[in-house]
Amino acid sequence: MVPVNWTNSTLKNSNVVFSNIDELSISNVPVGSSRFWTHIVMAYAFTLWTCYVLKREYEKVASMRLHFLASDHRRPDQFTVLVRNVPPDPDETVSQLVEHFFLVNHPDHYLTHQVVYNANKLSKLVNEKKKLQNWLDYYQLKLSRNPSKRPSKKTGFLGLWGNRVDAIDFYTSEIERLLKEISSERDKITSNPKSIMPAAFVSFRTRWNAAVCAQTQQSRNPTIWLTEWAPEPRDICWDNLAIPYVSLTIRRLVVAVAFFFLTFFFMIPIAFVQSLANIEGIEKAAPFLKTVIEVKFIKSFIQGFLPGIALKIFLIFLPTILMIMSKFEGFNSISALERRSATRYYIFQFVNVFLGSIITGTAFQQLDKFIHQSANEIPKTIGVSIPMKATFFITYIMVDGWAGVAGEILRLKPLIIYHLKNFFLVKTEKDREDAMDPGTLGFNTGEPQIQLYFLLGLVYAVVSPILLPFIIVFFGLAYVVYRHQIINVYNQEYESAAAFWPDVHGRIITALIVSQLLLMGLLSTKEAAQSTPLLITLPVLTIWFHRFCKGCYEPAFIRYPLQEAMMKDTLERAKEPNLNLKGFLQNAYIHPVFKGEDDSENEAAAEECEKEPAVVPTKRQSRRNTPLPSKYSGSSSSSLPDDTQKMLRP
């Protein structure tokens, strides 16, 4: 497409401000030219290739997800559902009501349950106690290094004023006081019915039972006894479980309105930033700045780096704001919080970085021409100017994309933060470990950021193909760097089994449709009316393809096949017929603040129980490994019939 675009002189013969790169775009093709058929054919080629790759990837990811769920070791969330909106009963507590309901409606399947407590205040007390304990450890360590001098501190704000007291005695007494408050708060929560939320984690004897309960309606009233798969214990957002279910809809409406204003409020600074992307445009709007702007260093800095850097600064605080908004909505898992935050981050970037850059930049750049031309010519001017924003996006890819990947592998920001913490905040070895913690990958920011480059690549693939090499370099670098970081650097906070993929697929489809609509609008200004029917077909086919993929593959991400659950249960019963499943599940969903420091033995036992049983070789073709007898004792679950045991015996 570059020769097709470049071998014209349309821009040279016009009054539009342009650069050499713009001559390689579709803007340089004359009005009504037959060369536009090249762009239409390439639009079909990009669309068909993108759909082919998406289908292949969706099929692969769905298969991997089902394989992971079928082959993964035993986890509490495989047997547990979260029940919400439990109806009030004057004669029974929530715990009694849950037990009675599931014993009646799931008599052979129900195993145990754990009610949800509003323990937010207790959680704050426990966290405060941990901080004080850390200070006590610090001063005890300080005393051990210099036994001749006991450490002291002032009792005022940040230790800057107040009475000077013995530090060890002070923190010991404070911790004792907090322990009493914690004990009192625990007793208050467990004894006060108002502290028990109308929700519970209900565990079943098999995965099949849990799958049936999680995916069916439990009551004739569809607003009560709502069931869903329980998140894995480390993925739970415990604070949000205390939010009443009836308030979730109101919260989400409030957040939706707030997000709308947040998105369009940012258009103001974005408009100013984009006005800096063109030197000639600034000089026309403010002639008195011409002498300053023409200085070589200032001119290159403003035109090359300032727009991208300014955008990056505006976006630094955005992820934190979006996560706070998602948490306010009341999602009960960290993975759900990150998925919603990622969706909003992508929408924000689409509106402000992509649309804002095109619309604002075009209006400012062509302001003088708009004033001195007829209204009929304005659509043509916009059509010519939109692909000319490729220059800005090339700069943005280099500043934000390439430099971001380099910063990711260097990790300068975490290094600086670590040394600042080490100098000012680290007091004990625990503080040092916390300061060195690399954290998680951050799907809520990384994934939508990468998808912005998918959007740019798809939109400009036909309009201004010179942008594609910069995109390819970014993805090549990002693949190598993030693969290394995920394997060797970041911690895994939770396991969602590829739950992000349907959102990723949907956003790529959106980018594809945007690119098709943009090309359609662009060619309409080029008097290529004969191409309209062919271009209208593209979005229709893309939407049909998206619905096809949703129907074929998305159920694997929403529902758990009963066949897979039964296969896993059958194999587990054959391998461990005496497994004490109730002992494995009964403490899995207890709020962390109710687990005392003496629970280490229970946690170790749970970790041991999660391990797969040892295996020994076998000659059987269908299963190369046969488990050793279970080393766990306890109440035996229902064993397989003799015929089935004979079938499973090697």
Side-chain angles (χ1 to χ4, degrees):
M1 286 186 294
V2 168
V4 172
N5 296 334
W6 184 59
T7 54
N8 295 282
S9 56
T10 303
L11 291 177
K12 290 181 181 178
N13 298 331
S14 68
N15 296 323
V16 178
V17 178
F18 69 95
S19 65
N20 292 334
I21 292 179
D22 297 327
E23 293 185 82
L24 304 177
S25 73
I26 197 173
S27 299
N28 202 33
V29 180
V31 174
S33 173
S34 60
R35 297 191 179 196
F36 287 120
W37 287 105
T38 305
H39 302 85
I40 295 171
V41 171
M42 292 307 299
Y44 270 87
F46 275 112
T47 298
L48 293 175
W49 173 251
T50 303
C51 290
Y52 167 73
V53 174
L54 278 177
K55 178 185 179 300
R56 188 181 63 180
E57 196 69 16
Y58 214 145
E59 185 176 6
K60 180 181 177 182
V61 174
S63 175
M64 291 172 62
R65 174 182 169 87
L66 291 177
H67 177 73
F68 170 80
L69 294 175
S71 62
D72 189 32
H73 62 267
R74 188 186 311 111
R75 300 199 319 266
D77 53 288
Q78 295 171 337
F79 301 87
T80 308
V81 299
L82 174 60
V83 183
R84 307 194 75 167
N85 220 22
V86 177
D89 190 293
D91 301 321
E92 291 184 320
T93 63
V94 172
S95 180
Q96 293 170 342
L97 187 60
V98 169
E99 182 177 19
H100 178 258
F101 179 86
F102 283 95
L103 281 175
V104 170
N105 295 283
H106 299 266
D108 300 324
H109 308 146
Y110 168 77
L111 183 63
T112 185
H113 74 278
Q114 175 63 52
V115 294
V116 175
Y117 294 98
N118 184 354
N120 292 348
K121 182 179 178 181
L122 178 59
S123 181
K124 292 178 182 178
L125 292 174
V126 170
N127 291 333
E128 185 180 353
K129 184 245 178 187
K130 288 180 180 178
K131 293 178 182 177
L132 295 179
Q133 183 64 49
N134 198 45
W135 276 106
L136 178 60
D137 294 341
Y138 164 69
Y139 283 115
Q140 287 177 338
L141 181 63
K142 194 174 181 180
L143 178 63
S144 66
R145 291 175 178 172
N146 187 8
S148 61
K149 182 180 179 181
R150 289 184 65 85
S152 62
K153 72 175 297 292
K154 292 183 178 179
T155 57
F157 178 72
L158 294 177
L160 299 177
W161 57 73
N163 299 326
R164 183 169 292 277
V165 296
D166 185 281
I168 295 178
D169 293 342
F170 174 78
Y171 283 110
T172 301
S173 62
E174 286 294 303
I175 290 173
E176 290 176 355
R177 177 185 62 80
L178 273 179
L179 285 174
K180 293 178 181 178
E181 290 186 23
I182 290 171
S183 177
S184 173
E185 184 66 20
R186 278 181 180 169
D187 294 338
K188 178 182 176 182
I189 290 174
T190 54
S191 60
N192 185 5
K194 294 183 179 179
S195 298
I196 302 176
M197 304 304 297
F201 292 100
V202 180
S203 298
F204 295 85
R205 298 183 184 276
T206 64
R207 296 171 181 82
W208 188 90
N209 305 143
V212 170
C213 181
Q215 297 165 178
T216 55
Q217 183 174 315
Q218 303 302 308
S219 170
R220 67 177 65 182
N221 184 349
T223 64
I224 60 175
W225 295 106
L226 304 177
T227 57
E228 60 183 281
W229 279 108
E232 62 171 341
R234 59 179 176 168
D235 189 23
I236 295 175
C237 183
W238 291 99
D239 291 346
N240 282 2
L241 287 179
I243 298 174
Y245 185 83
V246 293
S247 68
L248 294 182
T249 303
I250 299 174
R251 284 171 170 261
R252 289 170 188 176
L253 177 62
V254 170
V255 170
V257 174
F259 176 68
F260 174 83
F261 284 104
L262 173 69
T263 301
F264 288 93
F265 173 80
F266 263 71
M267 289 295 289
I268 298 173
I270 293 294
F272 174 73
V273 168
Q274 294 313 308
S275 68
L276 300 177
N278 187 275
I279 295 295
E280 290 79 5
I282 297 177
E283 290 178 351
K284 288 181 179 179
F288 59 90
L289 294 176
K290 184 174 182 179
T291 55
V292 178
I293 293 173
E294 287 299 327
V295 177
K296 187 176 181 180
F297 170 75
I298 296 177
K299 183 176 182 179
S300 60
F301 178 78
I302 291 176
Q303 199 167 26
F305 292 98
L306 187 60
I309 292 174
L311 261 181
K312 192 66 176 176
I313 293 174
F314 286 144
L315 297 174
I316 283 177
F317 299 103
L318 180 64
T320 303
I321 296 172
L322 294 181
M323 278 297 287
I324 293 173
M325 293 171 70
S326 298
K327 190 171 183 180
F328 179 79
E329 281 188 274
F331 291 101
N332 54 43
S333 65
I334 300 171
S335 57
L337 290 175
E338 293 199 342
R339 284 200 298 275
R340 177 55 66 93
S341 182
T343 299
R344 290 210 169 98
Y345 193 60
Y346 180 78
I347 294 172
F348 181 92
Q349 289 198 313
F350 176 78
V351 172
N352 287 286
V353 178
F354 180 69
L355 292 181
S357 299
I358 290 176
I359 297 171
T360 308
T362 299
F364 188 90
Q365 196 173 41
Q366 307 299 335
L367 180 62
D368 183 64
K369 195 168 183 63
F370 286 159
I371 295 174
H372 296 92
Q373 69 181 190
S374 65
N376 294 334
E377 296 294 317
I378 291 178
K380 292 183 180 180
T381 305
I382 296 176
V384 169
S385 301
I386 284 176
M388 292 168 63
K389 293 305 297 184
T391 305
F392 166 76
F393 285 118
I394 288 173
T395 304
Y396 184 78
I397 291 168
M398 290 190 292
V399 172
D400 186 77
W402 293 7
V405 171
E408 178 63 38
I409 195 66
L410 291 174
R411 292 182 60 79
L412 289 177
K413 178 183 173 182
L415 180 65
I416 294 171
I417 292 176
Y418 164 72
H419 283 291
L420 290 175
K421 286 183 176 179
N422 191 38
F423 186 79
F424 293 105
L425 302 177
V426 170
K427 303 177 291 296
T428 63
E429 284 301 317
K430 183 180 181 301
D431 287 340
R432 194 179 306 278
E433 290 177 5
D434 293 340
M436 293 184 68
D437 182 16
T440 60
L441 180 62
F443 284 102
N444 59 312
T445 56
E447 182 263 331
Q449 185 69 25
I450 288 174
Q451 290 208 285
L452 175 66
Y453 298 112
F454 268 110
L455 172 68
L456 295 178
L458 290 171
V459 166
Y460 281 97
V462 177
V463 173
S464 184
I466 193 63
L467 185 134
L468 291 181
F470 296 90
I471 293 282
I472 292 172
V473 170
F474 166 76
F475 278 118
L477 294 173
Y479 174 77
V480 174
V481 169
Y482 280 104
R483 178 184 171 87
H484 172 272
Q485 302 297 86
I486 290 170
I487 294 174
N488 299 314
V489 177
Y490 289 116
N491 297 325
Q492 183 178 5
E493 187 175 9
Y494 56 82
E495 176 58 71
S496 65
F500 266 83
W501 177 253
D503 294 344
V504 173
H505 175 89
R507 286 194 274 273
I508 295 177
I509 290 291
T510 302
L512 196 57
I513 294 174
V514 168
S515 69
Q516 295 159 356
L517 295 177
L518 179 60
L519 181 63
M520 193 186 308
L522 199 56
L523 292 184
S524 68
T525 67
K526 295 285 191 174
E527 298 182 3
Q530 70 276 10
S531 65
T532 302
L534 288 173
L535 289 176
I536 290 176
T537 307
L538 277 178
V540 175
L541 291 176
T542 305
I543 293 171
W544 173 85
F545 168 77
H546 179 54
R547 292 178 63 86
F548 167 78
C549 286
K550 281 178 69 72
C552 287
Y553 306 117
E554 193 175 45
F557 296 84
I558 300 174
R559 294 182 288 272
Y560 185 46
L562 297 182
Q563 181 186 23
E564 297 285 339
M566 181 59 74
M567 288 171 57
K568 184 69 175 174
D569 290 332
T570 303
L571 288 172
E572 186 172 74
R573 284 198 297 265
K575 290 157 65 174
E576 298 182 78
N578 297 319
L579 172 67
N580 181 14
L581 187 60
K582 188 171 184 178
F584 172 65
L585 294 172
Q586 69 182 53
N587 292 326
Y589 285 95
I590 292 180
H591 197 295
V593 297
F594 290 107
K595 296 180 179 180
E597 297 177 357
D598 57 345
D599 287 347
S600 56
E601 295 181 2
N602 294 337
E603 293 176 3
E607 290 176 3
E608 189 69 22
C609 195
E610 289 180 10
K611 296 178 180 177
E612 287 284 357
V615 295
V616 295
T618 181
K619 294 182 179 180
R620 186 179 179 189
Q621 297 298 319
S622 62
R623 188 169 177 84
R624 285 289 183 183
N625 295 316
T626 301
L628 288 170
S630 172
K631 57 185 175 181
Y632 307 112
S633 59
S635 59
S636 60
S637 58
S638 57
S639 58
L640 292 173
D642 294 340
D643 294 340
T644 310
Q645 292 181 7
K646 290 176 182 177
M647 291 169 60
L648 292 169
R649 194 172 296 133

